[in-house]
Amino acid sequence: MKRIFIFSLLLITQLMAGYSFAQKGTLRGAIYEEATGEPLFGVSVLVKELGIGAVTDFDGKFEIQADPGTYTLQISYISYSTVELTAVEIKGSEVTVLNDILMAEEASELETVTIAAAAIRTTENALMSVKRNAPNLMDGISASTFRQIGDGDAAGAVKRVTGVSIEGGKYVYVRGLGDRYTKTVLNGVDVPGLDPDRNTIQMDIFPTNVIDNIIVSKSFSADLPADFTGGVVDIATKDFPEERTMKLGVSGGINPSMHFNSNYIKYDGGKNDWLGFDDGSRAIPTGGRTDIPSYGDVVGNPNNAAGAEYQSILGSFNKTLAGYRTNSLMDLGVSFSLGDQLAREKVTWGYNFALTYKNDTEFYQDAEFNLYAKPRESTDRELEPLERQMGDYGVNNVMLGGMAGIAMKTDASKFRLTYLHLQNGESKAGEFDFVNTNLGANFEAKQYNIEYSERSLRSILLGGSHFLGGNQWEIDWKIAPTLSTMDDPDIRFTRFRLPNNTISTEVGLPTRIWRELEEMNLVNKVDLTRRITAFQSEGKLRFGGSYVMKDRDFNIQTFQFATGNTDLSAGDPNAILNPENLFSEDNRNGVRYNPDFIPINPNEYQSDLTNVAGYVSTELNPIDRLKAIAGVRVEKYTQFYTGTNQGATIVFDNEKVLDDLDFFPTLNLVYGLKENQNLRLSATRTIARPSFKELSYAEILDPITGRTFIGGLFPETTNGGTEVLWDGNLTATRINNFDLRWESFQERAQMVSVSAFYKSFDKPIEIVQFLSDPGSFQPRNVGRGTVMGLELELRKSLAFLAPALENFMWNTNLTVTESQIKMSESEFRSRSLTAREGETVSDTRDMAGQAPYIINTGLSYLNYLTGFEAGVFYNVQGPTLNFVGFGNRTDTYTVPFHSLNLNINKSFGADERIQANLGVENLLNDKREVVFSSYEAQDQIFTRLAPGTRVKFGFTFSF
């Protein structure tokens, strides 16, 4: 009780101290060096009329308490031109924020730069300075731009960055390279997303009002993790909000083709589905046991103990195997965020809290998932169907996210603690018409699917920064444990053969699947920076290290249900498990279950890895205008696997499947052609490693599409085992990267840049079609590859056309690439043997996942005085090799999706506290398609989905 009393007394004292300034106003700002974009420490900020002031801290920030009024600020620093800000208005009990104040080294004595405070608005200037002077090639977007482009989350905002595209509305691709070659980090720390098998975290879970900036590093430096090639996307959240913010947002979306549609398909799941949690109603009846009785154990004696247990388990399976048609609802979302900083005599506190809830509904009508192949005769060019599937399916996706952070800053240190919790639940229900013409089995069927997936992520970040010796030393450290879970409870698949509504092994028996994944991650890292003097100029020496540990447990348990002599001619999937149809003493040939995971389960595995890294780098100016950053990183990566193959002929018990020691040199040169122009050159080495899932024996089915992922440890042979198509030895990919860039920075955050890049890949990993099992795909090393390309970025005000157009800004970035893979001997042979008559087969092809071009362009309008913002944005990605063909399985390519979106924002009320936004997505009503492509043959649909045109709207109120 005594401790509680003392704590309460201290808290009340702090609050009373805060209220003592209630009648005064607060002025906060941040000051950066114009030449480098780095914060300036120790800058004097004086209110001339009052004779009071403050000194900036190591973040370049300052705070002054003053009576309400209009003042002039004098900002001075040794060897820098003094800056005077006029007409600075301070309001009682409010916070006035001055961002991005830039100071330049003085060109002459007693030089003073006078600026009206109205001109200091939240702009991209500081970020542009950082980009101009960054040691590596980078792009980015700051919080100041989020409102202008009208995007409410990081996924919508980051795709405006040069060379960046968003896949599925969630995941980042850089320079057209897929997930394998792009990495996402949160506050500089590797954090897994809701899908731990991806290298990038879902971007749509971060509301923009808690983000300080998003930086995309396109070239490697030694302090970054080495497992990327396209880019590292770093989401930096705010730790010390400039002012007290409390925002409540409501959003929604209507898609005429998906919402308020009476044909929508759903099923009744758990009572907590609306929160993204399963309530336990989908739990496996066996509790996950592996010692349960099978049909063969009890058919002779249904009444013994094992028979009673078998019948009890059989009767406990949920009897719903198909959804029903009903009305669909629109998308809805609610968000709340709170943040502030509290300045005390010796310490400043900052806090952030954000809560996001989204409930989105999708309905795809006439969705297609097909398999095509080359005909046996080489004279036949047109592809022939193996499987065709068309139908409707509905998706309800619930995302519940919360983030809380607290930070503390003293004169020489800063600490932060951030907690992130994401909860996602997604239910699906579908009905499809299925046609099979593969392997001589010709039939038509009706297919029913039900799925639910629950994913969660809990992550803690504890970090600190310390400045020693008058800022000569900077020490940064971070510790980040994360727990990820992914459960797919009771996936249900049923197929009736038409016209008699029969069920057999040829058509596929009713199937129930339970999947469980749990992964624990721990990241520890420390970075040290020492300011040095070399070549008569300032430089930096950086060194540090990291330790990453990951541990995964994965398990799939599958049941199939033979229907015996049960009469199911009515074709009702929900009647299959009726009590009168189930196995019993009186119905021994009734419906029964067969556990596929007994006695051998290749889909149960445990994997873990460790990655110990260290680095050293220097940043020097050896000659005038030239900045050289050179370094090397070393990583010791070890991965272990416990599991078995299908026949248990290979059993791994904590087997070391990857054991690499790699050195990653890096060189970045920056030459200042002019004060606002740079020429950059970089040469680096990076790596791409297989994931836990890829380096396993797992076989993971997607029941809706009918496609199966096969782990890379499985070998594949043909011709009676005499010819090896894949040896099962999946290894990491080593990449050499070379970049050249010219960039010019202009006033009002305008810029233009031109880049060229070249990359070489040793043993790139691609997803290849499994020859012996149609519809199955496997990760494999495929030989050697190269990618070369050009990038253009332009950010230009239209004032050059006419002064009246100064509020219009044209943003364009264009990436054009050419990729090439030198095929492995087995792939080249398979393509040659199945070549069409007249076709010449080259031993090279496109690289999978590499888009030949990306276009992002947009025209925006911003008027600060009226609070009106609008923009129209266009994005397209060129046809991209998706799955690599093998034998008579031909390549699949994504079809360019032309995305044209409109965003409109308007602020209302006193201090623009109310903001409304309206947007239209996919104005062109384009479809998302992946096609089979073959020599002189008409493209055939692999996947086709119609996302429709979505109208989104939102209202945000600031308290």
Side-chain angles (χ1 to χ4, degrees):
M1 288 294 294
K2 183 178 180 181
R3 291 182 178 178
I4 296 175
F5 175 76
I6 294 174
F7 176 78
S8 301
L9 185 63
L10 289 172
L11 181 62
I12 293 172
T13 303
Q14 291 289 301
L15 291 173
M16 291 180 65
Y19 284 121
S20 67
F21 294 104
Q23 300 305 313
K24 292 180 177 291
T26 301
L27 178 67
R28 290 176 182 151
I31 301 175
Y32 302 92
E33 184 180 16
E34 185 175 4
T36 66
E38 295 186 353
L40 285 174
F41 173 70
V43 176
S44 171
V45 183
L46 177 69
V47 181
K48 294 180 69 173
E49 291 83 352
L50 302 178
I52 62 174
V55 175
T56 59
D57 61 18
F58 50 79
D59 283 331
K61 296 183 178 181
F62 66 89
E63 177 175 314
I64 299 173
Q65 303 281 347
D67 293 323
T70 302
Y71 304 100
T72 297
L73 291 188
Q74 180 177 290
I75 304 172
S76 57
Y77 194 49
I78 298 174
S79 75
Y80 285 78
S81 297
T82 299
V83 176
E84 284 197 355
L85 295 182
T86 62
V88 178
E89 184 180 3
I90 299 177
K91 299 179 181 180
S93 303
E94 294 187 16
V95 177
T96 300
V97 179
L98 300 175
N99 283 311
D100 296 0
I101 302 173
L102 303 180
M103 296 190 73
E105 293 190 68
E106 60 185 1
S108 60
E109 288 190 35
L110 304 179
E111 179 184 26
T112 299
V113 179
T114 303
I115 306 172
I120 304 295
R121 305 299 299 261
T122 302
T123 69
E124 294 283 285
N125 289 336
L127 182 57
M128 285 294 176
S129 296
V130 172
K131 290 171 63 174
R132 183 171 67 243
N133 297 279
N136 58 337
L137 181 60
M138 59 160 283
D139 284 295
I141 190 167
S142 72
S144 60
T145 307
F146 296 154
R147 283 182 65 243
Q148 177 180 347
I149 60 181
D151 291 307
D153 58 54
V158 74
K159 64 185 178 184
R160 316 303 175 194
V161 177
T162 306
V164 171
S165 58
I166 295 292
E167 185 256 340
K170 302 175 183 179
Y171 299 105
V172 176
Y173 283 16
V174 177
R175 285 177 165 171
L177 287 165
D179 174 77
R180 185 181 309 280
Y181 302 109
T182 302
K183 192 175 189 67
T184 305
V185 296
L186 178 64
N187 294 315
V189 173
D190 185 4
V191 176
L194 286 171
D195 186 347
D197 290 310
R198 284 185 174 267
N199 214 18
T200 58
I201 193 171
Q202 284 184 237
M203 299 290 287
D204 62 338
I205 61 179
F206 298 102
T208 50
N209 57 329
V210 301
I211 299 174
D212 189 42
N213 59 64
I214 303 173
I215 300 296
V216 181
S217 298
K218 297 181 182 178
S219 66
F220 174 63
S221 56
D223 57 310
L224 295 173
D227 55 340
F228 83 94
T229 298
V232 171
V233 181
D234 189 0
I235 307 170
T237 58
K238 295 179 180 179
D239 46 14
F240 294 93
E242 296 85 358
E243 57 184 321
R244 182 180 183 274
T245 61
M246 184 165 62
K247 294 184 178 182
L248 176 65
V250 179
S251 61
I254 298 177
N255 188 325
S257 66
M258 294 187 176
H259 300 137
F260 306 112
N261 190 321
S262 59
N263 286 321
Y264 178 73
I265 306 175
K266 65 170 292 186
Y267 77 105
D268 295 327
K271 61 179 181 294
N272 296 332
D273 286 4
W274 67 280
L275 290 174
F277 295 86
D278 176 53
D279 62 356
S281 60
R282 301 179 178 91
I284 187 169
T286 62
R289 291 166 44 206
T290 58
D291 59 349
I292 61 174
S294 63
Y295 177 70
D297 299 327
V298 303
V299 64
N301 192 355
N303 290 331
N304 64 12
E309 182 182 9
Y310 184 91
Q311 293 177 65
S312 175
I313 293 172
L314 182 61
S316 298
F317 284 95
N318 191 305
K319 294 172 177 52
T320 301
L321 295 181
Y324 58 90
R325 302 276 180 172
T326 186
N327 233 349
S328 56
L329 300 178
M330 60 181 284
D331 298 339
L332 292 173
V334 179
S335 64
F336 176 78
S337 62
L338 178 68
D340 197 4
Q341 61 172 283
L342 306 172
R344 299 296 177 255
E345 184 176 353
K346 294 184 178 181
V347 65
T348 298
W349 294 89
Y351 65 88
N352 264 306
F353 173 78
L355 186 66
T356 303
Y357 175 81
K358 293 181 179 180
N359 192 319
D360 294 340
T361 298
E362 297 176 350
F363 182 44
Y364 296 99
Q365 300 179 83
D366 297 326
E368 290 188 56
F369 306 104
N370 303 321
L371 291 177
Y372 280 79
K374 301 175 186 176
R376 183 179 299 272
E377 298 297 329
S378 62
T379 54
D380 297 333
R381 289 184 171 84
E382 294 301 327
L383 299 174
E384 61 182 16
L386 304 180
E387 296 177 0
R388 286 168 291 168
Q389 180 179 320
M390 177 184 288
D392 307 337
Y393 73 96
V395 183
N396 180 241
N397 189 293
V398 175
M399 172 71 73
L400 181 62
M403 185 170 66
I406 187 171
M408 182 187 74
K409 180 161 57 177
T410 65
D411 289 339
S413 296
K414 178 168 64 176
F415 302 88
R416 70 182 301 173
L417 176 65
T418 303
Y419 175 72
L420 176 67
H421 187 154
L422 303 176
Q423 186 70 34
N424 174 235
E426 183 177 79
S427 61
K428 296 180 181 179
E431 294 182 11
F432 298 93
D433 295 318
F434 183 85
V435 180
N436 187 89
T437 54
N438 186 31
L439 301 176
N442 298 296
F443 63 85
E444 296 182 9
K446 193 74 173 179
Q447 178 177 310
Y448 302 89
N449 293 85
I450 287 178
E451 294 186 22
Y452 186 79
S453 179
E454 178 184 339
R455 303 180 182 187
S456 70
L457 179 144
R458 301 172 183 88
S459 178
I460 298 173
L461 170 63
L462 176 64
S465 301
H466 311 277
F467 298 83
L468 309 175
N471 271 20
Q472 290 301 300
W473 281 93
E474 179 181 349
I475 303 173
D476 291 287
W477 57 270
K478 295 181 177 73
I479 301 173
T482 302
L483 175 65
S484 301
T485 63
M486 184 168 65
D487 295 319
D488 298 333
D490 205 0
I491 298 172
R492 310 168 205 180
F493 164 87
T494 309
R495 189 181 286 165
F496 285 96
R497 182 167 183 165
L498 301 177
N500 298 322
N501 292 321
T502 58
I503 293 177
S504 65
T505 54
E506 183 180 59
V507 178
L509 296 178
T511 302
R512 311 286 283 268
I513 302 171
W514 279 263
R515 285 198 288 248
E516 294 180 347
L517 180 152
E518 182 175 285
E519 182 171 311
M520 182 67 191
N521 291 251
L522 178 63
V523 179
N524 305 273
K525 62 176 299 190
V526 61
D527 301 285
L528 298 93
T529 302
R530 174 70 164 93
R531 296 182 182 273
I532 59 176
T533 301
F535 302 104
Q536 299 181 337
S537 62
E538 289 188 0
K540 293 179 181 179
L541 173 66
R542 290 188 175 95
F543 55 95
S546 67
Y547 174 80
V548 178
M549 182 274 293
K550 297 183 181 182
D551 184 272
R552 172 182 292 189
D553 289 301
F554 183 79
N555 186 24
I556 298 178
Q557 293 192 352
T558 302
F559 297 83
Q560 289 194 332
F561 293 80
T563 57
N565 59 5
T566 307
D567 181 12
L568 300 170
S569 58
D572 181 5
N574 292 324
I576 293 176
L577 294 178
N578 283 345
E580 64 272 16
N581 295 332
L582 303 182
F583 163 81
S584 66
E585 182 180 15
D586 299 326
N587 187 16
R588 299 197 185 194
N589 198 21
V591 177
R592 61 265 192 180
Y593 72 77
N594 294 310
D596 290 353
F597 53 93
I598 297 175
I600 301 168
N601 188 3
N603 287 318
E604 180 179 14
Y605 69 83
Q606 190 273 330
S607 291
D608 62 85
L609 67 83
T610 58
N611 189 5
V612 183
Y615 75 90
V616 61
S617 70
T618 59
E619 181 178 326
L620 304 172
N621 297 86
I623 61 174
D624 186 35
R625 296 188 183 183
L626 178 65
K627 181 188 295 184
I629 305 94
V632 63
R633 184 180 184 90
V634 58
E635 292 188 356
K636 180 66 171 70
Y637 184 95
T638 311
Q639 186 168 323
F640 298 87
Y641 177 79
T642 298
T644 180
N645 65 353
Q646 282 184 320
T649 56
I650 300 176
V651 178
F652 285 173
D653 184 9
N654 205 33
E655 186 82 12
K656 190 181 293 185
V657 291
L658 212 57
D659 187 15
D660 294 333
L661 175 65
D662 288 279
F663 291 86
F664 304 100
T666 171
L667 174 65
N668 289 273
L669 302 176
V670 185
Y671 184 76
L673 298 172
K674 296 181 180 179
E675 183 180 352
N676 65 337
Q677 289 185 26
N678 287 330
L679 185 65
R680 294 179 177 271
L681 175 66
S682 72
T684 64
R685 183 174 175 85
T686 55
I687 196 168
R689 302 184 178 98
S691 67
F692 280 141
K693 180 176 73 172
E694 291 176 331
L695 211 51
S696 76
Y697 282 109
E699 295 184 53
I700 304 174
L701 171 69
D702 180 355
I704 282 188
T705 64
R707 295 160 191 168
T708 301
F709 171 89
I710 296 180
L713 292 178
F714 273 112
E716 185 181 21
T717 61
T718 188
N719 293 332
T722 59
E723 183 178 349
V724 177
L725 302 180
W726 169 243
D727 61 6
N729 183 28
L730 191 63
T731 62
T733 304
R734 273 93 182 165
I735 307 111
N736 296 316
N737 311 274
F738 303 93
D739 290 86
L740 178 67
R741 168 163 160 159
W742 171 83
E743 55 192 15
S744 174
F745 299 88
Q746 302 159 18
E747 61 181 7
R748 295 186 61 193
Q750 299 176 91
M751 72 164 297
V752 59
S753 68
V754 180
S755 307
F757 58 90
Y758 175 85
K759 301 176 185 293
S760 65
F761 297 76
D762 181 28
K763 299 181 180 179
I765 302 172
E766 297 183 345
I767 305 299
V768 179
Q769 300 188 53
F770 208 75
L771 185 62
S772 60
D773 188 5
S776 295
F777 304 87
Q778 183 181 46
R780 299 178 181 178
N781 298 108
V782 294
R784 296 187 61 86
T786 59
V787 174
M788 63 182 69
L790 296 173
E791 284 182 340
L792 168 68
E793 179 180 13
L794 177 66
R795 179 183 172 92
K796 186 70 175 176
S797 168
L798 299 189
F800 74 96
L801 296 176
L805 300 178
E806 65 174 350
N807 290 334
F808 288 90
M809 186 73 73
W810 179 34
N811 294 274
T812 292
N813 52 72
L814 170 66
T815 304
V816 180
T817 63
E818 180 177 336
S819 65
Q820 181 175 282
I821 289 288
K822 176 76 171 180
M823 297 182 198
S824 65
E825 183 179 340
S826 60
E827 181 184 348
F828 178 63
R829 175 175 167 78
S830 76
R831 289 177 181 264
S832 299
L833 290 175
T834 59
R836 304 295 90 184
E837 189 175 88
E839 179 182 6
T840 300
V841 178
S842 170
D843 61 353
T844 61
R845 58 165 171 80
D846 296 337
M847 184 176 182
Q850 175 63 64
Y853 61 84
I854 298 175
I855 301 173
N856 281 312
T857 187
L859 182 64
S860 59
Y861 172 86
L862 172 61
N863 189 318
Y864 280 114
L865 298 179
T866 63
F868 180 77
E869 305 160 342
V872 59
F873 302 95
Y874 171 76
N875 169 266
V876 67
Q877 179 173 311
T880 305
L881 178 58
N882 186 18
F883 292 125
V884 179
F886 212 90
N888 69 334
R889 310 285 190 265
T890 187
D891 298 327
T892 66
Y893 278 82
T894 61
V895 177
F897 179 80
H898 299 272
S899 174
L900 182 64
N901 302 324
L902 171 70
N903 291 314
I904 300 174
N905 298 308
K906 181 69 173 75
S907 300
F908 303 91
D911 300 323
E912 299 183 341
R913 290 190 174 186
I914 301 175
Q915 182 179 353
N917 64 78
L918 176 69
V920 184
E921 298 175 343
N922 194 20
L923 276 165
L924 301 178
N925 197 28
D926 206 359
K927 291 180 171 61
R928 294 195 178 275
E929 296 178 336
V930 183
V931 297
F932 289 96
S933 181
S934 184
Y935 175 74
E936 290 191 355
Q938 181 179 347
D939 289 345
Q940 298 293 343
I941 297 297
F942 178 63
T943 300
R944 174 184 282 165
L945 298 173
T949 299
R950 180 174 180 261
V951 179
K952 62 178 183 178
F953 57 89
F955 297 92
T956 303
F957 182 78
S958 300
F959 296 89

